[in-house]
Amino acid sequence: MKPKVLVTRETFPEVIDYLAQHVEVEHNQNDEAYDEAELMRRLQGKAGVFANPTHRFAGELFAACPELKAVCNMAVGYNNIDVPAATAAGVMVTNTPDVLNETTADFGWTLMMAATRRVSESEHFLRAGQWKRWRYDDFLSADVHSSTLGIIGMGRIGQAIARRSMGFNMKVVYHNRSRLAPELEAAANHAQYLGMEELLRTADHVVLVLPYSPASHHLIGAKQLAMMKPTATLVNIARGGIVDDAALIAALRSGTIAAAGIDVFENEPAFNSDFLTLKNVVLTPHIGSASVPTRRAMAYLTADNLIAALSGQRPPNLLNPDTFQP
């Protein structure tokens, strides 16, 4: 008998078909909104779950679903999963790293350039019929080329962002939990390691690409924003909660920094609506990895993790290896 799995949200039909070759699938192609109680109900008798980061997996759920063996998240981040609680319950947890590095790096550049060059603000101006004549000072901004790019979180995505800066003649500085090997720094446009405060004071454009954890909660708040140049741009493609959104709104409103590009928010999708009152911010709904090839690759990798976990193999992206028992 095939193990039973739940797919919690709508996904590519071909991925459902692929899963069905190996497991018995209960899918949610109608994309119903499962609350916690409904999620627990549907997980009864299930050995695995193809999870979406909109759902929370914590100790109460693991206690209520004793047959659950694997939670496979279709995301790189996994702050929606209490990994220690999963480990204590013997539940394997996986994510989908690497397949989205280049696409997310592209999007980080998209936000940085759009925010710096005031693309959204000027488009709204045009659409509102306000463009009547050309002025020398219309939507003046900072430059991207020949400026200093600061990256906080220099993993694979951060390094991909840095590589793209070569064509813009930029200097790259970065902060990370540990310094990169010299050859990786060289490949990342000769990136220079700095302490975070020095980076904030130095960079013209700061891009956040670090994972969320209790230690990184509100890593960027009012104090850190005040360290940045008044001409600087902040881009967050990491996770909501790394930036204190209320402090960022205040900094944008007061001119503490010039602009921001934000793809992730605290309490998303119920983000702080005060963002909508600002002209100097580009807002997107957590779409950094949203290209067709990348999202499809993420879905297939989630399926591969789930199939491996339920067939006695080590999943390719196992986050808590102590749970694997060959």
Side-chain angles (χ1 to χ4, degrees):
M1 181 181 295
K2 293 179 180 179
K4 297 179 180 180
V5 305
L6 173 69
V7 180
T8 63
R9 296 286 305 275
E10 182 182 7
T11 191
F12 296 96
E14 60 268 33
V15 175
I16 298 291
D17 293 341
Y18 174 62
L19 272 173
Q21 297 173 27
H22 304 272
V23 296
E24 184 178 328
V25 180
E26 179 183 333
H27 60 71
N28 183 17
Q29 292 299 81
N30 291 329
D31 213 30
E32 298 174 23
Y34 296 160
D35 61 17
E36 184 179 12
E38 181 65 11
L39 182 62
M40 286 184 183
R41 186 185 74 78
R42 289 181 179 272
L43 281 172
Q44 297 306 305
K46 303 297 192 302
V49 55
F50 184 118
N52 183 282
T54 58
H55 289 118
R56 174 79 179 152
F57 295 85
E60 316 83 64
L61 183 143
F62 297 126
C65 307
E67 295 180 56
L68 192 62
K69 301 300 179 189
V71 176
C72 298
N73 220 32
M74 188 180 149
V76 174
Y78 47 89
N79 50 301
N80 60 309
I81 303 170
D82 185 336
V83 178
T87 303
V91 176
M92 289 177 274
V93 178
T94 70
N95 65 340
T96 59
D98 298 332
V99 294
L100 48 67
N101 295 345
E102 299 299 327
T103 294
T104 305
D106 285 349
F107 197 74
W109 270 86
T110 300
L111 284 180
M112 181 175 65
M113 296 185 75
T116 301
R117 295 301 307 271
R118 302 173 68 178
V119 170
S120 290
E121 183 183 355
S122 60
E123 182 186 4
H124 290 148
F125 175 86
L126 184 151
R127 288 179 179 273
Q130 295 175 287
W131 188 30
K132 304 300 183 182
R133 60 192 179 115
W134 182 89
R135 287 181 52 90
Y136 82 96
D137 58 352
D138 275 344
F139 301 101
L140 295 182
S141 70
D143 274 325
V144 173
H145 72 85
S146 303
S147 62
T148 298
L149 171 62
I151 301 171
I152 300 178
M154 198 63 153
R156 292 182 178 90
I157 296 173
Q159 292 171 51
I161 289 169
R163 289 195 302 272
R164 284 157 173 75
S165 71
M166 294 179 187
F168 288 81
N169 191 36
M170 297 178 85
K171 177 182 178 181
V172 177
V173 295
Y174 76 97
H175 181 74
N176 204 40
R177 284 177 294 183
S178 56
R179 184 169 179 173
L180 298 182
E183 62 272 17
L184 292 178
E185 288 184 341
N189 197 9
H190 303 283
Q192 177 186 357
Y193 180 82
L194 295 179
M196 194 176 80
E197 291 188 5
E198 187 177 1
L199 181 148
L200 291 171
R201 292 189 176 100
T202 301
D204 298 299
H205 312 281
V206 176
V207 183
L208 305 177
V209 210
L210 66 160
Y212 178 85
S213 69
S216 64
H217 182 73
H218 285 186
L219 184 74
I220 303 296
K223 178 182 176 181
Q224 292 73 30
L225 291 162
M227 295 176 187
M228 294 174 65
K229 298 177 181 180
T231 54
T233 300
L234 178 72
V235 172
N236 188 6
I237 55 169
R239 275 293 182 272
I242 292 173
V243 175
D244 179 340
D245 285 354
L248 175 59
I249 289 165
L252 290 166
R253 186 170 285 147
S254 67
T256 301
I257 64 172
I262 307 297
D263 186 49
V264 291
F265 303 85
E266 296 188 86
N267 306 311
E268 61 182 50
F271 68 98
N272 190 328
S273 61
D274 284 348
F275 274 119
L276 301 177
T277 68
L278 302 172
K279 294 181 178 180
N280 54 341
V281 61
V282 178
L283 306 170
T284 54
H286 203 147
I287 60 170
S289 64
S291 75
V292 172
T294 294
R295 286 281 172 88
R296 184 176 281 119
M298 291 170 67
Y300 272 109
L301 183 52
T302 305
D304 285 337
N305 278 317
L306 189 53
I307 291 164
L310 300 183
S311 60
Q313 303 172 48
R314 183 188 174 100
N317 306 108
L318 184 61
L319 294 167
N320 51 349
D322 290 348
T323 58
F324 177 63
Q325 298 179 353

